Amino acid sequence: MLFHVRMNVNIPRDLPQAEVAEILAREKAYSQELQRSGKWRHIWRIAGQYANYSVFDVRDNAELHEVLSGLPLFKFMDIEVTPLLRHPSAIREDDT
C-alpha cells in the first residue's frame, strides 16, 4: 500500500546539541535503510520548514505505524497520513 506522509519536526530548543546530533545521525541511517529497502519510496523537504512529504510503500497500516514509530525523531514529530490508491487515468504502469 502507498501512503502519503507529512512529517513536521519540532526538536526542543533546550535539548543538548550532542543529543540532537546523535538522534539526527540515527534518523539518517534508519531513513536511508528504509529507502534502500523500497519502503520509503520518496522524500521531499518542504522549503522553509523543518518538515517533509514522503511516500511509503508498505504492507498495511500496521507496518506503516511500525516504520514511523521506529523513527528516532518520532517523539518530536507531528505526522499526517493519507492512504493512496492508483488513479484510473494514470498512464505509468510502474508506479503502483
Side-chain angles (χ1 to χ4, degrees):
M1 281 185 78
L2 294 178
F3 293 90
H4 173 268
V5 180
R6 179 183 172 131
M7 294 178 245
N8 299 314
V9 182
N10 300 296
I11 299 173
R13 294 186 186 274
D14 60 348
L15 201 62
Q17 284 305 307
E19 187 174 344
V20 171
E22 187 271 331
I23 293 169
L24 292 176
R26 287 189 297 118
E27 181 83 9
K28 183 175 183 177
Y30 181 64
S31 70
Q32 289 180 344
E33 175 187 326
L34 289 167
Q35 289 173 67
R36 281 190 282 281
S37 76
K39 292 181 183 195
W40 198 327
R41 298 249 318 249
H42 301 281
I43 181 171
W44 294 278
R45 172 66 48 92
I46 300 172
Q49 300 178 33
Y50 196 171
N52 72 75
Y53 285 124
S54 293
V55 175
F56 288 86
D57 188 358
V58 292
R59 193 173 46 256
D60 53 27
N61 294 334
E63 184 178 16
L64 180 65
H65 180 75
E66 180 182 322
V67 165
L68 294 176
S69 62
L71 291 166
L73 285 171
F74 180 74
K75 65 183 176 181
F76 305 120
M77 291 181 171
D78 293 319
I79 299 174
E80 296 175 18
V81 175
T82 305
L84 300 173
L85 297 170
R86 182 169 170 75
H87 195 282
S89 297
I91 61 170
R92 293 189 55 157
E93 295 298 325
D94 63 338
D95 214 12
T96 58

